[in-house]
Amino acid sequence: MRRTAFALLACLASWLPAASAADPCPDREAYAPGRALIAELDRIVAPGGVQEAYEVEVNGVRHWVNVRGQDRDNPLLLFVHGGPASPVIPTLWQFQRPLEEYFTIVHYDQRASGRTFRLNPPEAVEGTIKVQQYVDDAIALAEHLRQRYGKRKLVLAAHSWGTVVGMHAALQRPDLFHAYVGMGQVIHVRTNERLSFEYGLARARAEGNAAAVAEMESIAPYPGDAPLTRDRIVIARKWPQYYGGLSAFRDNSDWFFQGPRLSPDYDDADRCAINAGNVFTLGRLLDEFLEVDFRGVREFPIPVVMFMGRHDYTTPSGPTAEWLRQVRAPYRHGEWFERAAHMIPWEEPGHTLAALLQHVRPAAVEGERTAPAR
């Protein structure tokens, strides 16, 4: 039950068992030999490369940052993870190495997420879990990074919940970014909920899954006018993701949620902090997240590229494609991933790289080349 519920956290989590500070952290020492091999394979040995992990204070909270790239002269890309407390650092080994040949890529564990959650007393951050605070953190971190690495601007990329933070950051501080890349983009949460539910119910009926149909019909109409409680959301998301709406053509995403066990970047306490951070943030962000609506954004100040999974029914891609058709921007492009659902960089890593090289990297390279020296 714990793993099934956790799998629903890809964008909007719904339920997790209560966590206690006294709960033991599972011993994953059996994975140590595999982690050692991954660490050696991932080690960047190129003389001009960069591989560092460090903590930095951002808006009064110590954040954990991971930076990797084969050539520090490449464009700098800041990735805002999903969740809202599902850090990407422990699964970088699954997809990122090819991207590091063309970008210096920065990941950070957000406020109350992963290793950042461990670095700060909960009482120091519990009153700050607000969308705008996460936006302020991303902006401040971007400022820090361009100073640290001598860049004029960054590419801003975001996934799932992170796209809420990323969109706001790009709109509020376009001077910091060459371009914005949304993956599993959130446009209007309530529309996403409806489309996801309709897909799951249709598939369950087509498959003759009476248990799934009965469970979903028990909360219909969804989202409707009734409150979007965690109990309703967990049912609404359970079956669409079972029918491939999180990972295309798969009924589960254990490959991702258990991936941190092989991460050389996290120890056992860090892995347990992922779950603890989710428990800590979900209730504090849920109401605000449910009101997210970017449909009224008609002007976007920087180039915008949307990566859209054809089978994504966690944050369905239809609203994103519709928004992209009507927005005015210096450059806009929608890239469809035909064999992906919500986990685009993991499901289609080669296509992800190709799209970044075609639609994002040239503008970033040109932007740095023509910029005044810092």
Side-chain angles (χ1 to χ4, degrees):
M1 173 66 74
R2 187 182 192 89
R3 186 176 66 198
T4 301
F6 186 44
L8 301 175
L9 302 176
C11 179
L12 174 61
S14 44
W15 177 86
L16 274 172
S20 165
D23 287 346
C25 193
D27 181 356
R28 303 298 185 189
E29 185 61 25
Y31 292 87
R35 288 196 289 268
L37 290 175
I38 291 171
E40 178 58 27
L41 178 64
D42 277 356
R43 188 163 60 93
I44 292 178
V45 297
V50 55
Q51 179 180 4
E52 58 181 355
Y54 61 94
E55 65 177 77
V56 61
E57 185 172 304
V58 177
N59 293 327
V61 169
R62 296 156 67 195
H63 282 68
W64 187 252
V65 178
N66 178 290
V67 186
R68 297 179 51 86
Q70 295 287 346
D71 184 348
R72 64 176 58 238
D73 288 336
N74 278 333
L76 195 61
L77 185 151
L78 174 60
F79 193 105
V80 186
H81 68 67
S86 183
V88 172
I89 292 172
T91 55
L92 295 184
W93 63 272
Q94 294 182 331
F95 73 91
Q96 186 170 282
R97 285 182 63 237
L99 278 65
E100 294 165 3
E101 298 178 33
Y102 301 93
F103 297 90
T104 298
I105 305 180
V106 182
H107 293 269
Y108 69 106
D109 288 3
Q110 295 167 24
R111 183 173 293 249
S113 302
R115 291 191 69 159
T116 295
F117 184 69
R118 291 189 64 203
L119 289 173
N120 302 274
E123 61 271 17
V125 297
E126 61 183 351
T128 71
I129 307 301
K130 306 291 183 183
V131 169
Q132 186 58 50
Q133 183 62 70
Y134 284 86
V135 176
D136 292 342
D137 291 345
I139 289 171
L141 183 60
E143 292 272 24
H144 158 78
L145 291 167
R146 67 175 187 160
Q147 292 290 339
R148 184 180 179 97
Y149 294 101
K151 301 294 185 181
R152 176 171 172 260
K153 295 184 181 182
L154 293 70
V155 172
L156 180 62
H159 178 240
S160 196
W161 142 262
T163 66
V164 176
V165 177
M167 283 278 277
H168 281 303
L171 289 166
Q172 292 175 27
R173 287 295 305 276
D175 58 297
L176 293 176
F177 307 113
H178 291 296
Y180 172 69
V181 183
M183 309 176 186
Q185 178 69 47
V186 176
I187 296 296
H188 183 227
V189 168
R190 290 181 177 271
T191 297
N192 286 347
E193 292 299 303
R194 176 179 59 79
L195 294 174
S196 178
F197 177 83
E198 290 172 354
Y199 167 78
L201 183 56
R203 284 293 305 271
R205 286 171 172 165
E207 299 285 337
N209 188 337
V213 170
E215 195 169 20
M216 296 191 77
E217 287 183 341
S218 73
I219 62 168
Y222 183 86
D225 297 326
L228 282 179
T229 63
R230 291 186 180 190
D231 289 341
R232 296 185 75 215
I233 295 169
V234 71
I235 294 173
R237 285 182 172 257
K238 174 181 176 181
W239 294 108
Q241 293 184 1
Y242 175 81
Y243 287 115
L246 182 58
S247 295
F249 317 117
R250 295 175 183 264
D251 62 8
N252 70 81
S253 297
D254 289 349
W255 58 269
F256 172 76
F257 293 110
Q258 296 182 13
R261 298 180 184 183
L262 282 168
S263 171
D265 297 304
Y266 265 40
D267 62 23
D268 284 343
D270 296 329
R271 283 181 276 276
C272 288
I274 299 174
N275 182 56
N278 273 297
V279 172
F280 186 83
T281 58
L282 292 176
R284 292 173 169 87
L285 280 170
L286 180 58
D287 290 344
E288 195 175 3
F289 179 81
L290 290 172
E291 299 306 315
V292 169
D293 186 356
F294 289 113
R295 292 175 299 176
V297 176
R298 302 293 181 175
E299 300 273 353
F300 207 76
I302 59 174
V304 55
V305 178
M306 295 297 187
F307 288 2
M308 302 176 291
R310 184 68 71 180
H311 308 281
D312 188 349
Y313 285 97
T314 300
T315 54
S317 299
T320 303
E322 182 179 349
W323 177 86
L324 197 59
R325 281 192 292 270
Q326 56 81 39
V327 75
R328 290 183 292 274
Y331 176 81
R332 62 179 183 175
H333 174 73
E335 186 78 9
W336 284 99
F337 290 74
E338 300 295 339
R339 291 177 293 280
H342 189 64
M343 309 300 291
I344 288 169
W346 294 264
E347 294 179 274
E348 293 194 39
H351 189 173
T352 296
L353 174 59
L356 288 172
L357 292 180
Q358 181 177 0
H359 299 287
V360 179
R361 191 175 187 273
V365 170
E366 180 65 15
E368 289 298 321
R369 185 183 69 81
T370 60
R374 287 182 60 81

